[in-house]
Amino acid sequence: MSNTVPSGWSVHELGDLAHKIEGGGTPSRTEASFWNGDIPWATVKDLRAVSLRSTEEHITELGLKNSSSKLVPANTMIIATRMAVGKAVFFNRDVAINQDLKAFHPKSETNWRFLLQWYLANSEKIENLATGSTVKGIRLDELRLLPIDLPPLPEQQKIATILSSVDDVIEKTRAQIDKLKDLKTGMMQELLTKGVGSGGVPHTEFKNSPVGRIPSSWGYELLESVATIQTGIAKNAKTEGDMIEVPYLRVANVQDGYLDLSEIKSIRIDRSRLERFSLKDEDVLVNEGGDFDKLGRGAIWDGQISPCVHQNHVFVVRTDKSYLLPRFFNYLSGSQHGKKYYLGCAKQTTNLASLNSSQLKAFPVLLPPLEEQAAICDILTSLDSKITLTERKKATVEALKKALMQDLLTGRVRVNVEKEALSHVE
């Protein structure tokens, strides 16, 4: 979508480069023989990376034949035209697609990997072309008219090789993150049911509790017995008195295990209420509601902004540190034990769920000795640090790729097709 064409490049419309663009479909959900077969069947919910290997659902040969779904060959660019407009992927195996996806088969003089990278580089512009009040989509006619500057085929291939090598690093790093997160999940389950013992000696005696088998030396209490639960300020609270404007922590800021403070809004409150709603160091933040898999997500406040208040949809849990360490409760709340409790008692509607303060107060807290709580937290914090470092590496490589795309896909920087492609990114 550039205004000037690099020397040797030619201007086209995207549709001119297509040998064929075909959509897919969905087999009847009422026919059991159409489902759970050996053919991967892709929808927009599968588009989590550029290079894909599997899908959430599978169909049978019978389902493929009795629907408008298409079997797309491996290494074919697949784009979303509804709900995830701007996304483009490919699978390393043949895959069937539904009606929200389109397979783009380029003509012989166009390298599909170059086309994929060009599409990804322009994803934001393409997304902005989508229309629709509830679910946004884009018509194929509009996609076909997109202008694209195309280098000669050898240069396309070289550019695609360079950018694909960076994608490989991103995918490997993403896989490392997933493995670390899986390890943490398994480690949490192990540590929060069996503990670490004392002096390197594991527990040998266990007892039954309302939350299952736990070491005999552990205690068990409801959260309200070992912590204070504080509700936040409502956005439509009174606006009279000695008003001041202060930063305001919202649900969007409280992620699963960390805080996203990239956007902090403010609120006007009566100065006399500032102390009541202000966050304090080591407050454990727990969201009141959200998606089922995010219900109860939380993080610890470390005084990043002062003063800062919290909204009524974010609970503050202040633990009695002589019984319960804030870090330990934060891990416990985010564990399978915590999520199971929240989902079991929360009010649920469609895809959302919500807690109230009484339910949070009744949270069943496991209470190892403080020394063991600290040891468990140290192990999990070490894993968190590894995850954070790996995520930073991924962000760095993604930034490198973005810069390369801006240079190579516009011809601002030309590649020498006579030499080997750039070495892989470490």
Side-chain angles (χ1 to χ4, degrees):
M1 295 185 181
S2 59
N3 294 321
T4 59
V5 184
S7 175
W9 290 33
S10 54
V11 181
H12 299 269
E13 290 179 350
L14 185 62
D16 296 337
L17 307 180
H19 167 67
K20 179 174 61 174
I21 302 177
E22 59 181 352
T26 301
S28 172
R29 292 282 186 181
T30 61
E31 183 53 65
S33 63
F34 292 172
W35 295 92
N36 301 316
D38 297 325
I39 302 173
W41 180 74
T43 70
V44 292
K45 63 186 177 184
D46 295 303
L47 310 188
R48 299 187 180 94
V50 176
S51 174
L52 299 170
R53 296 169 178 78
S54 61
T55 58
E56 288 188 13
E57 295 185 274
H58 291 70
I59 61 176
T60 62
E61 287 282 355
L62 198 59
L64 183 64
K65 291 177 181 178
N66 286 275
S67 71
S68 55
S69 183
K70 299 290 190 302
L71 190 62
V72 179
N75 298 325
T76 299
M77 184 172 85
I78 297 173
I79 59 177
T81 54
R82 188 171 176 270
M83 290 191 286
V85 175
K87 284 196 173 184
V89 303
F90 70 95
F91 285 81
N92 68 344
R93 58 183 297 187
D94 295 354
V95 61
I97 59 174
N98 83 339
Q99 61 275 10
D100 298 326
L101 304 178
K102 299 291 183 289
F104 192 105
H105 302 272
K107 294 178 179 178
S108 58
E109 64 271 20
T110 306
N111 180 276
W112 72 269
R113 287 184 184 273
F114 174 87
L115 200 59
L116 175 74
Q117 297 295 343
W118 176 88
Y119 200 92
L120 293 172
N122 290 276
S123 61
E124 186 175 337
K125 296 177 182 177
I126 295 169
E127 184 181 1
N128 289 336
L129 295 174
T131 58
S133 55
T134 305
V135 177
K136 289 193 173 183
I138 186 169
R139 295 183 297 108
L140 269 182
D141 288 345
E142 283 193 274
L143 282 176
R144 290 178 182 275
L145 293 175
L146 290 173
I148 174 173
D149 297 342
L150 195 69
L153 185 56
E155 195 169 350
Q156 293 178 43
Q157 293 167 336
K158 183 71 174 288
I159 292 171
T161 298
I162 294 170
L163 295 178
S164 294
S165 71
V166 184
D167 278 337
D168 289 342
V169 177
I170 293 172
E171 289 305 312
K172 289 176 182 176
T173 310
R174 181 182 285 111
Q176 291 174 359
I177 294 170
D178 290 342
K179 286 181 180 178
L180 285 169
K181 288 183 175 180
D182 288 344
L183 175 61
K184 179 186 172 183
T185 299
M187 190 72 77
M188 287 176 74
Q189 178 65 21
E190 182 79 7
L191 293 173
L192 296 175
T193 55
K194 297 182 180 179
V196 295
S198 177
V201 179
H203 292 287
T204 57
E205 296 183 5
F206 295 83
K207 64 184 179 183
N208 291 322
S209 78
V211 295
R213 297 277 289 175
I214 60 174
S216 296
S217 60
W218 288 18
Y220 158 80
E221 294 287 348
L222 298 183
L223 182 59
E224 64 179 343
S225 300
V226 290
T228 300
I229 288 82
Q230 176 176 291
T231 55
I233 187 171
K235 193 170 184 180
N236 58 353
K238 68 175 186 176
T239 57
E240 298 178 353
D242 182 11
M243 306 301 291
I244 58 173
E245 189 164 325
V246 293
Y248 178 60
L249 201 74
R250 301 165 295 126
V251 168
N253 301 125
V254 183
Q255 298 298 313
D256 201 1
Y258 69 97
L259 294 171
D260 180 359
L261 303 181
S262 58
E263 183 184 11
I264 295 292
K265 294 186 180 296
S266 60
I267 189 172
R268 290 178 58 79
I269 65 170
D270 189 327
R271 187 183 300 273
S272 65
R273 308 180 77 197
L274 179 61
E275 177 64 23
R276 158 71 176 81
F277 294 107
S278 286
L279 297 171
K280 298 179 180 179
D281 286 359
E282 295 192 287
D283 278 347
V284 183
L285 308 170
V286 179
N287 276 348
E288 173 196 77
D291 299 340
F292 289 162
D293 61 337
K294 296 177 181 176
L295 177 66
R297 68 185 181 188
I300 294 181
W301 182 256
D302 290 324
Q304 293 93 328
I305 303 171
S306 182
C308 185
V309 299
H310 62 108
Q311 73 170 184
N312 57 321
H313 298 301
V314 178
F315 293 115
V316 160
V317 177
R318 288 195 184 118
T319 69
D320 182 341
K321 297 173 188 175
S322 60
Y323 294 98
L324 177 62
L325 299 180
R327 281 196 303 159
F328 185 80
F329 174 69
N330 187 51
Y331 280 124
L332 189 63
S333 178
S335 70
Q336 292 302 311
H337 162 70
K339 294 182 185 299
K340 182 179 179 181
Y341 171 76
Y342 292 136
L343 284 175
C345 66
K347 178 183 178 182
Q348 301 180 16
T349 57
T350 317
N351 296 322
L352 301 176
S354 61
L355 295 166
N356 58 45
S357 59
S358 296
Q359 291 165 334
L360 184 57
K361 290 176 181 179
F363 184 97
V365 178
L366 305 175
L367 291 174
L370 289 177
E371 297 80 3
E372 191 169 1
Q373 289 185 37
I376 290 171
C377 289
D378 287 345
I379 293 170
L380 296 175
T381 299
S382 176
L383 271 174
D384 280 338
S385 296
K386 291 179 181 178
I387 292 170
T388 299
L389 286 173
T390 311
E391 286 177 334
R392 286 176 182 168
K393 175 186 175 182
K394 176 172 165 285
T396 299
V397 180
E398 287 174 336
L400 169 63
K401 186 191 173 187
K402 185 175 181 180
L404 284 171
M405 292 171 96
Q406 290 172 346
D407 286 339
L408 301 181
L409 294 170
T410 60
R412 185 184 306 159
V413 174
R414 301 296 293 269
V415 298
N416 188 340
V417 296
E418 300 300 324
K419 295 182 179 180
E420 292 296 319
L422 293 181
S423 60
H424 69 280
V425 181
E426 296 294 342

